[in-house]
């Protein structure tokens, strides 16, 4: 268990453990761990800032390393992240591995004195979250989680304009929808394991099984590696709820769903609906269905003063009064840019980043609770202070 106070302590309090703090004009020396789709993309966002040099890339699959090196020529390459974090010249790492490797790579990097930008969901197992938070606090490292909404101008502006101003009024329900595009069948891969792919290392903490292309190329669809749509998309939207409602843990959750659409061996539900109750007297539901037209990707706050609808590029406020005109604002561009800039700024200032590890831990925890509820087919009551699921009799 980690207390809220510990969770919110500024990283600056343990400033003595810094190995190097980049100065205002220093370029941050970056290492990439996990050079798949997201890792390579966010690496390019870092490069676009003009404030970093990518010094090393690490992946368990040689092909991914080669792809990353075309974007970062001259970087050193590794298949074991422990060798990368030993590099003294590296200040910070970007972690884009699948969820089941986030904990180990993040903790090893922080123990080696690196600041960390780790993709969401913070972890695959609920009990790992507090350990990662504690590692960040003990080592004094900056740890930003990839819930980029926390830095997005669209979210920051909407929160001030409608929530904090009181315009939205008391919110009693939040409706979160993310259908994730038209249903996609599993990506196939070579029947023979590529000789430059270290499958055992890929599995890491996960129980051994022989080379399994669907699981390598679609880890999200398998509960051994990910939490399906609940942690892939739900972790983002639950974090927006936490951000706007100033909450960090639900009182209870009940999730239902299943693999209703596909018959291809996946174990994570393609259809999920989770209903939460939060302190402050409001409920939240998150739903993600395999819809042919893929429509639906937003969070909607239902308040006494109106309705706030928001996604990554637009907000709409519909006032409660009949006939009142909605207030609509568009925000082009990718909010990841703003999140990466915030991380780099914090590497220099040592201030807590917008999606500090404690924040990312709490939204991941709420998403994982829904996965647990789905698997156990029961409602879970949660003690947010102690970070424990209450026993059935409670
Ligand atoms: N913030 C966002 O909007 C966003 C968007 C997409 C993905 N993500 C997150 O990014 C992560 C990666 O997703 P992806 O779509 O890029 O997956 P991916 O499968 O394309 O890439 C993962 C890469 O990690 C490598 N890898 C696995 N174990 C490793 C290890 N021990 N050391 C080094 N490399 C290792 C794999 O070989 C692969 O190349 C996931 O956690 C996902 O949830 C976040």
């Amino acid at each position: 268990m980690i207390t809220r106070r510990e969770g919110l302590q500024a990283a600056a309090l343990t400033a003595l453990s810094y190995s190097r703090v980049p100065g205002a004009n220093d370029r941050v020396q970056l290492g990439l761990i996990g050079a798949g789709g997201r890792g390579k993309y966010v690496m390019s966002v870092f490069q676009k800032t003009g404030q970093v040099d990518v010094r090393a890339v690490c992946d368990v699959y040689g092909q991914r390393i080669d792809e990353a090196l075309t974007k970062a020529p001259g970087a050193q390459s590794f298949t074991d992240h422990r060798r990368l974090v030993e590099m003294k010249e590296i200040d910070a790492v970007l972690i884009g591995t699948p969820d089941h490797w986030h904990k180990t790579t993040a903790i090893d990097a922080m123990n080696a004195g690196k600041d960390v930008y780790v993709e969401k969901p913070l972890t695959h197992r609920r009990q790992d979250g507090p350990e990662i938070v504690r590692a960040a606090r003990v080592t004094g490292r900056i740890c930003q989680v990839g819930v980029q909404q926390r830095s997005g101008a669209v979210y920051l502006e909407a929160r001030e304009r409608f929530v904090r101003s009181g315009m939205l009024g008391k919110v009693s329900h939040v409706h979160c929808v993310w259908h994730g595009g038209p249903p996609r069948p599993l990506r196939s891969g070579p029947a023979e394991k590529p000789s430059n792919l270290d499958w055992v290392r890929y599995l890491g903490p996960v129980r051994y099984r022989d080379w399994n292309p669907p699981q390598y190329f679609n880890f999200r669809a398998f509960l051994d590696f990910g939490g399906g749509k609940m942690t892939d998309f739900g972790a983002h939207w639950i974090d927006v709820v936490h951000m706007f409602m100033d909450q960090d843990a639900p009182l209870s959750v009940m999730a239902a769903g299943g693999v209703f659409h596909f018959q291809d061996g996946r174990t994570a539900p393609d259809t999920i609906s989770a209903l939460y109750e939060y302190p402050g007297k409001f409920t939240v539901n998150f739903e993600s269905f395999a819809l042919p037209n893929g429509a639906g990707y937003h969070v909607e706050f239902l308040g006494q003063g109106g309705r706030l609808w928001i996604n990554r590029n637009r907000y709409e406020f519909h006032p409660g009064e009949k006939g009142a005109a909605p207030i609509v604002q568009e925000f082009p561009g990718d909010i990841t840019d703003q999140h990466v800039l915030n991380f780099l700024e914090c590497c220099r200032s040592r201030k807590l980043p917008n999606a500090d590890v404690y924040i990312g831990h709490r939204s991941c925890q709420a998403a994982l609770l829904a996965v647990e509820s789905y698997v156990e087919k029961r409602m879970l009551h949660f003690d947010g202070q102690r970070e424990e699921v209450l026993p059935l009799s409670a």
Side-chain angles (χ1 to χ4, degrees), residues 159-179:
R159 183 175 61 175
E160 286 307 313
R161 192 167 177 188
F162 307 111
V163 181
R164 291 194 170 160
S165 70
M167 251 169 110
L168 183 60
K170 164 83 183 86
V171 171
S172 47
H173 183 70
V174 191
H175 186 202
C176 308
V177 175
W178 195 326
H179 297 313

Side-chain angles (χ1 to χ4, degrees), residues 32-42 57-65 67 78-82 95-102 104-105 117-122 145-149 178 187 197-198 200-205 215-220 225 231-233 236 312 334 336 339:
L32 167 65
I33 302 173
R38 184 66 183 172
K40 287 196 297 282
Y41 171 69
V42 180
V57 298
C58 169
D59 203 286
V60 297
Y61 187 9
Q63 185 177 318
R64 297 283 164 84
I65 291 179
E67 289 161 8
F78 301 93
T79 53
D80 183 335
H81 73 275
R82 290 170 297 188
I95 298 173
T97 65
D99 315 356
H100 67 287
W101 266 105
H102 288 178
T104 308
T105 50
Y117 182 113
V118 55
E119 265 309 339
K120 59 45 64 181
L122 179 62
V145 180
V147 278
Q148 56 268 30
Q149 293 73 222
W178 195 326
R187 261 187 71 194
L197 194 157
D198 186 341
V200 173
R201 188 147 187 83
Y202 179 83
L203 291 175
Q215 294 188 359
Y216 178 82
F217 289 101
N218 312 268
F219 70 89
R220 293 165 172 81
F225 301 90
T231 46
D232 201 18
F233 304 141
H236 279 303
R312 284 178 173 161
D334 181 358
T336 303
H339 209 46

Side-chain angles (χ1 to χ4, degrees), residues 3-22:
T3 64
R4 183 175 165 82
R5 197 168 149 271
E6 266 180 308
L8 293 172
Q9 257 172 9
L13 292 180
T14 48
L16 285 179
S17 66
Y18 299 157
S19 53
R20 185 183 97 104
V21 176

